[in-house]
Amino acid sequence: MVLSLVNLCAREVVSDHSSSPYWLSCVPRELYRALLDAAFTHRRPLAVGELVQRWPERTLTIGSGRKEGQCPPNRLCVQALLLAVVRGLTDKRCCLQVLDLSGLQCEDGRVEDSMGGWSITVALCSMVLQARAAASRAHRRDGERERKRGLEAERDRGAVKRDRGTVGCGNNGEGSHGAAHRVEGVGKMECTTNEQTLPELESVKGVRRRMEIQRRKISSEVKSNTSSNSGSLCDQDWVEVASVHVRADLFINSRSWERVRDALSHLGQLQLHCRYLRVEELSAPSIVSLLGMLPLQDLLGVDIRYSSLGVSGLAMLLPLLAPFPQLHSLRLHYCNLDLQRTQAGQQGALQDMSKGLGSLKRLKRLCLTALRLPGHLRLLLSSLSQPLEFLELPYLCLTSTDLAYLSCSQHASFLRELDLSENRLDESSLPSLRRLLGQAESSMSQLSLCGCGLSDSLLGALLPSLSCCRALRSLRLALNPLSRTGLLSLARTAAGIPSLRLLLYPNPLEEYEPGLPALPSSAQLLDWPLLEEPESRDLTMRLLDEVLSLRGRSRDLLVTSDLLNYSPDLTVDD
């Protein structure tokens, strides 16, 4: 990547922190973005903090604009950013009103010193609570200061009254007639409320009247606050107006739930807005409480994982998602919906679940992982008002009836991504799958059939339909029992799809240690050891390279069997 002159100069400027007092006082607002990017790229947390504390724009976006190959901000820079946002609340030079941190998290453990979604969520909630505590302390200090001023004004007022009462008590060489006139004047001054007989006290009385009103108001607030919990971070009679709105993707589990609840439950100078919500190991009542605290206009997607909701719990949650007008993604992973076991009231709960899905009017992505719902796909998807574009159904125990419905449904011709991994396919389901691929041939960009039990014969019957998918960019067929001959047939078909950029293929059966059954399952293929001798794998790679070279696809098509290290970024549209 070639750096521009501005970027090169920005890198040099932020590299020397001792010079920051000089350039911060004169740098134009147009260069703040370049300086901040350089500070993040070259890991200068002190420069990040000073720039954000003085941020001259109303909006600051970090994370979503990251370019391909660019490393995410490291932990120290992110922490410096959050601390600077809190300091900027009391800095008149800071104009920040919207802080967008969506996409800032990095879940790749191979990236050194990055922050995952859970760590960023905890740090954001700590920032909100810290800002609220600081504002509460400042509010109490201001109240105490005003109270003292009111008490001083009241003491001054009492002193003035005492001085007035002593007027005329002594002669000081004057006659009784003059003293009588002074006493009469004082009496008139004290008896009237809107008139003043002494012009020099007129302005003083107006100021003191205003201070007295303020003192009474402050004293009443102090009494009400002291009667409540003194250890609370937010007084009940004191409501702050949010001055900075923070948008982020939140990752909440049982360990961070209480802190997130405290950060969302009261208004403050910083208000959290959630774009994508990921929840793990939370009960249904906790998720209900969480959804009730989120702003309605910002939520785009919900991802619920490893929560024992059951069908009834999920049926209770789905209607609560309907009020979020922008919600278009719902992902449910391992939520303990096992319908292979018959239970009382199960069918009614399924009907409620179907109605709940139907209430999500803008839903485009639906993921149902390991919910084990054999034979119920029609009931769930037929209630949707618009077709889905992203459908993930791994470990769902799909039947041939489910695939027959899907191939004829309104969703078939609109599907861009389809994941049917770990659903056992046989000859009875192949016609429906071929019909489905024919319906989606112009829209399908990603297809995953990992662990579906595709043998050479089954895959051979499916290859003509795959070759017609002219928009396909990613094809994943790992953990299927293919021989080397079947694998080469797959490679020839894949090389003939011009749009394809990634082929994730299974290790052929010839590369495994002896002892595998004739048609092993995906679990057996995953656990069974490969041959220690590299000759077999080298032969496979050499044959695949020959196929790609003959089709001229050696450079633009990645062919790999590595389940863990292949890059899904290759499937992103150009």
Side-chain angles (χ1 to χ4, degrees):
M1 182 178 65
V2 179
L3 296 178
S4 66
L5 181 60
V6 172
N7 292 331
L8 289 172
C9 294
R11 182 179 64 183
E12 292 300 320
V13 168
V14 300
S15 62
D16 183 12
H17 184 259
S18 62
S19 63
S20 61
Y22 304 103
W23 57 263
L24 278 172
S25 60
C26 61
V27 64
R29 59 186 298 173
E30 292 82 6
L31 295 180
Y32 267 73
R33 181 78 249 187
L35 290 168
L36 185 61
D37 289 342
F40 274 119
T41 302
H42 301 285
R43 301 186 176 188
R44 297 289 186 266
L46 295 177
V48 169
E50 291 179 334
L51 288 167
V52 173
Q53 185 175 342
R54 299 166 174 82
W55 193 250
E57 304 288 343
R58 293 185 177 181
T59 302
L60 175 57
T61 301
I62 303 292
S64 59
R66 192 163 63 243
K67 299 179 182 178
E68 184 178 356
Q70 184 180 2
C71 294
N74 74 333
R75 184 179 299 271
L76 288 178
C77 288
V78 174
Q79 292 172 346
L81 165 70
L82 301 182
L83 290 174
V85 171
V86 176
R87 293 197 302 266
L89 295 173
T90 56
D91 195 327
K92 295 181 179 180
R93 298 166 296 184
C94 186
C95 301
L96 186 62
Q97 295 180 7
V98 177
L99 175 63
D100 193 346
L101 302 179
S102 303
L104 180 63
Q105 68 276 6
C106 177
E107 304 298 344
D108 189 352
R110 295 170 295 178
V111 178
E112 183 180 359
D113 204 22
S114 61
M115 293 187 73
W118 186 85
S119 299
I120 289 180
T121 300
V122 172
L124 281 172
C125 293
S126 300
M127 175 190 69
V128 171
L129 296 175
Q130 180 183 359
R132 187 182 303 154
S136 180
R137 289 193 298 268
H139 175 71
R140 287 196 292 267
R141 284 197 303 268
D142 293 341
E144 183 65 20
R145 191 180 299 114
E146 292 297 330
R147 186 183 68 83
K148 290 180 179 179
R149 289 177 181 174
L151 293 176
E152 292 176 359
E154 188 170 352
R155 285 197 298 269
D156 293 343
R157 182 182 174 187
V160 170
K161 287 184 177 181
R162 287 194 299 273
D163 292 343
R164 292 172 186 170
T166 59
V167 176
C169 293
N171 290 330
N172 295 330
E174 298 182 2
S176 60
H177 182 70
H181 279 288
R182 286 194 297 271
V183 172
E184 181 181 359
V186 173
K188 290 180 179 179
M189 181 186 68
E190 293 180 347
C191 293
T192 59
T193 58
N194 297 323
E195 296 180 359
Q196 286 286 348
T197 58
L198 297 176
E200 65 271 16
L201 294 178
E202 183 174 357
S203 60
V204 176
K205 183 177 180 181
V207 172
R208 288 177 176 168
R209 182 176 294 277
R210 288 195 297 270
M211 293 180 68
E212 177 66 18
I213 293 173
Q214 292 178 357
R215 186 191 67 79
R216 290 177 180 176
K217 181 179 179 180
I218 292 169
S219 62
S220 63
E221 289 180 355
V222 171
K223 288 179 181 178
S224 62
N225 291 336
T226 54
S227 62
S228 61
N229 185 9
S230 60
S232 176
L233 290 175
C234 183
D235 297 328
Q236 298 295 326
D237 296 332
W238 172 53
V239 179
E240 288 184 283
V241 178
S243 56
V244 177
H245 298 268
V246 183
R247 298 171 183 166
D249 302 330
L250 300 183
F251 177 11
I252 305 166
N253 61 11
S254 55
R255 292 185 297 159
S256 60
W257 160 236
E258 292 185 1
R259 182 170 300 193
V260 175
R261 181 183 57 193
D262 292 340
L264 292 174
S265 58
H266 299 289
L267 292 177
Q269 289 181 291
L270 296 175
Q271 184 177 6
L272 280 179
H273 298 258
C274 181
R275 188 186 66 156
Y276 285 100
L277 174 64
R278 178 176 171 181
V279 175
E280 288 189 4
E281 300 174 346
L282 281 187
S283 63
S286 297
I287 299 176
V288 169
S289 301
L290 176 61
L291 293 175
M293 292 185 286
L294 293 177
L296 295 179
Q297 296 298 325
D298 304 286
L299 189 63
L300 301 181
V302 174
D303 187 344
I304 302 176
R305 305 187 180 201
Y306 313 115
S307 300
S308 298
L309 301 178
V311 179
S312 58
L314 189 57
M316 177 184 66
L317 286 179
L318 289 177
L320 301 179
L321 298 175
F324 294 91
Q326 306 298 324
L327 184 72
H328 62 75
S329 174
L330 176 62
R331 312 186 74 176
L332 304 172
H333 302 264
Y334 302 95
C335 292
N336 195 22
L337 271 68
D338 190 354
L339 296 189
Q340 292 179 321
R341 303 174 183 177
T342 304
Q343 299 177 359
Q346 181 173 277
Q347 193 63 28
L350 271 175
Q351 294 284 351
D352 294 338
M353 182 177 169
S354 176
K355 292 178 182 177
L357 285 174
S359 65
L360 307 179
K361 302 300 181 182
R362 302 192 64 177
L363 193 64
K364 293 184 178 181
R365 179 186 292 272
L366 179 62
C367 176
L368 306 174
T369 299
L371 301 190
R372 294 191 288 272
L373 299 170
H376 294 88
L377 197 62
R378 177 188 295 272
L379 175 63
L380 295 178
L381 300 188
S382 61
S383 61
L384 297 176
S385 59
Q386 68 174 11
L388 295 169
E389 297 180 11
F390 308 89
L391 183 59
E392 302 173 45
L393 304 173
Y395 297 96
L396 206 67
C397 301
L398 294 176
T399 63
S400 57
T401 304
D402 292 325
L403 289 175
Y405 159 74
L406 186 59
S407 65
C408 301
S409 67
Q410 61 168 337
H411 312 286
S413 58
F414 291 89
L415 286 175
R416 295 168 55 188
E417 296 182 14
L418 178 63
D419 188 353
L420 300 178
S421 299
E422 298 299 335
N423 289 286
R424 194 78 177 179
L425 301 177
D426 53 24
E427 293 182 356
S428 64
S429 57
L430 276 186
S432 298
L433 183 56
R434 295 182 62 179
R435 188 185 311 115
L436 176 60
L437 294 177
Q439 291 287 330
E441 63 180 10
S442 61
S443 61
M444 183 86 68
S445 63
Q446 294 188 32
L447 176 63
S448 181
L449 298 174
C450 297
C452 291
L454 292 174
S455 60
D456 289 356
S457 58
L458 291 177
L459 182 63
L462 199 60
L463 288 179
S465 299
L466 286 174
S467 63
C468 296
C469 296
R470 55 183 179 271
L472 195 63
R473 295 181 59 84
S474 171
L475 178 60
R476 308 175 201 184
L477 292 167
L479 300 179
N480 282 293
L482 295 181
S483 66
R484 187 176 285 124
T485 302
L487 175 59
L488 293 178
S489 299
L490 171 62
R492 295 186 190 98
T493 301
I497 304 175
S499 60
L500 194 66
R501 295 293 177 267
L502 171 66
L503 173 62
L504 180 64
Y505 67 87
N507 293 97
L509 297 177
E510 290 84 350
E511 294 183 5
Y512 287 90
E513 293 281 355
L516 270 176
L519 291 176
S521 65
S522 60
Q524 290 172 325
L525 291 173
L526 186 62
D527 295 336
W528 206 268
L530 296 172
L531 292 172
E532 295 182 358
E533 296 79 8
E535 289 81 6
S536 179
R537 290 191 292 274
D538 292 342
L539 175 61
T540 301
M541 291 301 302
R542 186 166 60 252
L543 294 174
L544 289 175
D545 289 340
E546 291 178 0
V547 171
L548 296 181
S549 298
L550 288 175
R551 296 296 184 97
R553 301 298 307 276
S554 299
R555 294 185 177 181
D556 64 344
L557 176 58
L558 174 63
V559 177
T560 179
S561 61
D562 193 343
L563 274 169
L564 300 178
N565 297 320
Y566 79 95
S567 176
D569 295 336
L570 294 171
T571 64
V572 178
D573 295 339
D574 294 332

